[in-house]
Amino acid sequence: MLGDNYVHDGGPSLVELFFAGKFILYCLFMFLTFMYFTFYGMMAIGLTPTQQLAAVISSAFYSLWNLLSGFLIPKARLFTFVVFVWLSQNLPVWWLWFYYICPVAWTLRGVITSQLGDVETRIVGPGFDGTVKQYLEESLGYGSGMLGITVVVLIAFSLFFFTAYATSIKVLNYQRR
């Protein structure tokens, strides 16, 4: 009877601890995402002479980030598509690397890997039969060992955008006399 109480009392706390870790990682990735988007907006305002031009440039980058982040077109298919189009029309090679310099792609990698990277539930679909973890690795290219690197990269994006903003405010002067 005494042992039975320990089993029942310990079980829910382990589950809560498991979900607390995932919740903390989710909050961390959302905080870093809000931070780099805020610093990117500040950088765009600081580098351009008018708010309207900053809005146009930001809109273009937001569209590129959303298109090439791996959400609409997964990373594996994005590489296949870009290589095919590049070979047929001589498009720039940097399109292949845009995935890695896209902060939204790193956010998606971090959130999806932290929330689903350890799930061993079996899924069966057209062309795939395996666990959720295997699906993330094979179809999306998200390995579970990249969480630390993802956090470092998102912090680096925030620092880069903030440094560019601070430098532009100090160096550039768009005032007319």
Side-chain angles (χ1 to χ4, degrees), residues 41-146:
M42 291 167 53
M43 178 190 74
I45 293 284
L47 288 175
T48 56
T50 63
Q51 291 178 352
Q52 292 80 10
L53 184 60
V56 169
I57 291 172
S58 292
S59 174
F61 272 98
Y62 295 153
S63 297
L64 276 175
W65 285 354
N66 284 324
L67 178 64
L68 299 174
S69 67
F71 182 72
L72 295 174
I73 306 170
K75 182 174 89 169
R77 290 190 180 102
L78 175 68
F79 286 152
T80 305
F81 171 74
V82 169
V83 168
F84 172 74
V85 173
W86 178 66
L87 290 175
S88 64
Q89 297 180 2
N90 291 330
L91 290 175
V93 180
W94 64 266
W95 277 23
L96 293 172
W97 291 99
F98 195 80
Y99 175 82
Y100 292 106
I101 61 169
C102 178
V104 178
W106 287 97
T107 297
L108 282 175
R109 174 186 287 270
V111 170
I112 291 172
T113 304
S114 69
Q115 301 303 306
L116 299 173
D118 58 349
V119 176
E120 294 291 338
T121 305
R122 189 157 192 81
I123 56 174
V124 177
F128 183 78
D129 182 16
T131 64
V132 174
K133 184 177 182 177
Q134 290 172 340
Y135 179 77
L136 291 178
E137 291 174 359
E138 293 174 15
S139 179
L140 301 177
Y142 293 164
S144 59
M146 294 285 290

Side-chain angles (χ1 to χ4, degrees), residues 6-17:
Y6 284 119
V7 171
H8 291 298
D9 290 342
S13 64
L14 292 176
V15 171
E16 290 169 7
L17 180 64

